[in-house]
Amino acid sequence: MPRPVEAVWGYEEASARREVGTLFESEQWWQEQYHEIESHGYELRSRYRPDWEPSWKKTGKAFFLAEDGQVNLLSSTMDAMRRRDGKQVMLKRVSQQQELEIAQLLSSPELRRDPRNHCVPLLESLKPSNALDQTLIVMPYLRPFNCPRFQTFGEFIAFFTQICDGLLFMHERNIAHRDCTENNIMLDPSGMYPEGFHPIKMDRCREFKSCAKRYTRTQRPARYYLIDFGLSRRYDSRDALDEPLRGGDKSAPEHQHKVPCNPFHTDIYYLGNLVREHFIKKCNGFDFMKELVDAMTDGVPEKRPVIEDVIERFSRVRNSLSGFKLRSPITSRKDVTPIIAFRYAQQTIRTVGYFLCQTPAIPDVSHMYHWHR
């Protein structure tokens, strides 16, 4: 029998002290900040209002079927709505001055104008009056980079191109991300989900009443962002050595020994390993990336290419792919033959539409919506 969500998340003891569906301890801080956040022009979901009463007590629904029953278990972040225009945003509690300074630098007006800047925009920073040791930073509400799934190889090419550009932008300024792993690469859903989506159940609309309306990455090109600069550091040069800080990906060879290493080499490893684990190993047809990924994940950090070389080598790979390959569907290695056949048939129908609309095989994000303050 599956374990209840409280047990899975390690909340067995807390669950015994609270009524099912009500606020977890991780959510209570946000409820206490509700009015202060509101005074800055942002609104939390009804669940976090101080006078909230669970809707399912009146409707008789199960709590997990109600919009206000959707739980956020990450105490450091919370979704909100910007009241002046109704846009979804993410609030994050930051206590490290270094993270705030790097986020502010990367979002400065001068650097924001650089199209290669794929660092998540910092829209505003707030200082809670009853938590002076923390700052709330406001960012666009993003989705995981692979949600929804990639449909074509052209969509993958657009993704990898953007993230390489973003890493180059940071490295040129001697900033190592140090945790550019799967949880810290996101996509801006503004084009794909023009009416938004629910922040917890992302396949539902914001009101939780129906499925969210969406387009493909090819129809509405997505812009990808690097987020979370909690481990990021700025150095005097890219030859720097520093104590290893293990983030989401703990497999980097240089982190297996507690000796100083070059964090820029590790950034290259993280990006290469992400492609290896999420695309080469899980999907069919990614042999064209194997040579580059092998170089990026070399066991000897000094032998890995710098980001400029990654981009140059990837450009040659990109130019070697045919239009047919770029428009072909990405299938999982776990897919059985009927599923693969279905995906090809489905993609063939989409491709006809793309040809009629003269839609590029590699989504071009340059003309798409960009967040602004």
Side-chain angles (χ1 to χ4, degrees), residues 129-241:
S129 58
N130 60 350
L132 296 178
D133 61 327
Q134 299 187 53
T135 300
L136 286 183
I137 59 175
V138 185
M139 303 170 287
Y141 198 88
L142 307 176
R143 293 177 70 99
F145 77 93
N146 55 356
C147 177
R149 61 183 294 275
F150 287 83
Q151 292 183 344
T152 69
F153 289 96
E155 293 177 352
F156 165 81
I157 294 295
F159 157 74
F160 193 74
T161 298
Q162 289 189 43
I163 294 306
C164 285
D165 282 347
L167 203 57
L168 172 63
F169 176 84
M170 294 186 70
H171 284 194
E172 282 182 340
R173 287 153 183 82
N174 297 331
I175 300 173
H177 189 287
R178 306 189 74 176
D179 197 14
C180 48
T181 56
E182 60 173 306
N183 291 331
N184 290 332
I185 299 178
M186 311 287 278
L187 69 83
D188 179 357
S190 306
M192 293 176 65
Y193 293 81
E195 298 173 6
F197 54 91
H198 195 273
I200 305 301
K201 299 291 186 183
M202 291 187 170
D203 60 334
R204 308 292 293 174
C205 69
R206 290 172 70 169
E207 295 77 21
F208 209 68
K209 295 178 180 178
S210 60
C211 292
K213 178 182 178 180
R214 70 178 177 92
Y215 295 86
T216 68
R217 299 165 200 257
T218 302
Q219 291 170 315
R220 300 282 185 92
R223 187 171 178 84
Y224 298 92
Y225 285 111
L226 293 158
I227 68 165
D228 192 351
F229 307 112
L231 299 183
S232 302
R233 299 290 184 272
R234 192 177 190 186
Y235 300 94
D236 292 333
S237 76
R238 283 196 251 176
D239 296 323
L241 295 178

Side-chain angles (χ1 to χ4, degrees), residues 34-48:
Y34 184 90
H35 289 307
E36 173 133 11
I37 290 172
E38 186 179 44
S39 72
H40 289 282
Y42 300 95
E43 184 177 326
L44 303 184
R45 286 184 286 129
S46 62
R47 177 179 178 83
Y48 303 106

Side-chain angles (χ1 to χ4, degrees), residues 70-100:
Q70 306 311 304
V71 178
N72 175 22
L73 289 174
L74 299 175
S75 61
S76 62
T77 59
M78 178 59 67
D79 60 276
M81 179 188 72
R82 189 164 65 181
R83 301 183 72 178
R84 65 180 167 88
D85 56 12
K87 295 199 179 298
Q88 292 175 283
V89 297
M90 172 70 81
L91 307 179
K92 181 183 179 183
R93 299 164 62 179
V94 173
S95 56
Q96 296 182 53
Q97 186 64 24
Q98 190 162 254
E99 177 178 1
L100 180 61

Side-chain angles (χ1 to χ4, degrees), residues 104-364:
Q104 290 173 331
L105 170 65
L106 295 171
S107 278
S108 62
E110 179 184 358
L111 297 189
R112 258 297 45 102
R113 287 192 289 269
D114 191 323
R116 301 171 306 157
N117 187 350
H118 287 270
C119 301
V120 62
L122 175 60
L123 305 177
E124 189 177 0
S125 57
L126 316 174
K127 202 73 175 176
S129 58
N130 60 350
L132 296 178
D133 61 327
Q134 299 187 53
T135 300
L136 286 183
I137 59 175
V138 185
M139 303 170 287
Y141 198 88
L142 307 176
R143 293 177 70 99
F145 77 93
N146 55 356
C147 177
R149 61 183 294 275
F150 287 83
Q151 292 183 344
T152 69
F153 289 96
E155 293 177 352
F156 165 81
I157 294 295
F159 157 74
F160 193 74
T161 298
Q162 289 189 43
I163 294 306
C164 285
D165 282 347
L167 203 57
L168 172 63
F169 176 84
M170 294 186 70
H171 284 194
E172 282 182 340
R173 287 153 183 82
N174 297 331
I175 300 173
H177 189 287
R178 306 189 74 176
D179 197 14
C180 48
T181 56
E182 60 173 306
N183 291 331
N184 290 332
I185 299 178
M186 311 287 278
L187 69 83
D188 179 357
S190 306
M192 293 176 65
Y193 293 81
E195 298 173 6
F197 54 91
H198 195 273
I200 305 301
K201 299 291 186 183
M202 291 187 170
D203 60 334
R204 308 292 293 174
C205 69
R206 290 172 70 169
E207 295 77 21
F208 209 68
K209 295 178 180 178
S210 60
C211 292
K213 178 182 178 180
R214 70 178 177 92
Y215 295 86
T216 68
R217 299 165 200 257
T218 302
Q219 291 170 315
R220 300 282 185 92
R223 187 171 178 84
Y224 298 92
Y225 285 111
L226 293 158
I227 68 165
D228 192 351
F229 307 112
L231 299 183
S232 302
R233 299 290 184 272
R234 192 177 190 186
Y235 300 94
D236 292 333
S237 76
R238 283 196 251 176
D239 296 323
L241 295 178
D242 205 346
E243 294 296 323
L245 294 175
R246 302 175 75 184
D249 183 348
K250 298 175 173 56
S251 65
E254 59 268 37
H255 286 183
Q256 308 312 308
H257 310 286
K258 294 183 178 180
V259 296
C261 55
N262 186 311
F264 297 95
H265 295 163
T266 309
D267 277 356
I268 299 298
Y269 174 89
Y270 286 150
L271 186 53
N273 198 44
L274 180 144
V275 174
R276 179 169 61 189
E277 295 297 324
H278 285 271
F279 295 97
I280 295 176
K281 286 187 177 180
K282 293 183 178 180
C283 303
N284 297 304
F286 275 92
D287 290 346
F288 64 89
M289 286 296 296
K290 192 173 185 306
E291 183 178 346
L292 176 56
V293 166
D294 285 347
M296 295 174 70
T297 56
D298 195 295
V300 181
E302 293 75 18
K303 291 184 178 181
R304 296 171 197 158
V306 295
I307 189 62
E308 288 88 348
D309 291 339
V310 171
I311 291 173
E312 182 181 349
R313 293 175 65 170
F314 179 65
S315 178
R316 294 198 295 269
V317 169
R318 173 176 171 151
N319 292 336
S320 73
L321 301 178
S322 67
F324 178 80
K325 176 68 173 182
L326 293 171
R327 293 191 185 275
S328 295
I330 295 175
T331 58
S332 169
R333 292 185 183 274
K334 294 182 179 180
D335 286 345
V336 295
T337 301
I339 296 296
I340 293 176
F342 172 76
R343 294 202 190 284
Y344 268 90
Q346 191 178 48
Q347 188 57 37
T348 298
I349 295 172
R350 289 198 192 99
T351 300
V352 171
Y354 296 155
F355 272 121
L356 293 175
C357 296
Q358 298 184 323
T359 306
I362 300 175
D364 180 9

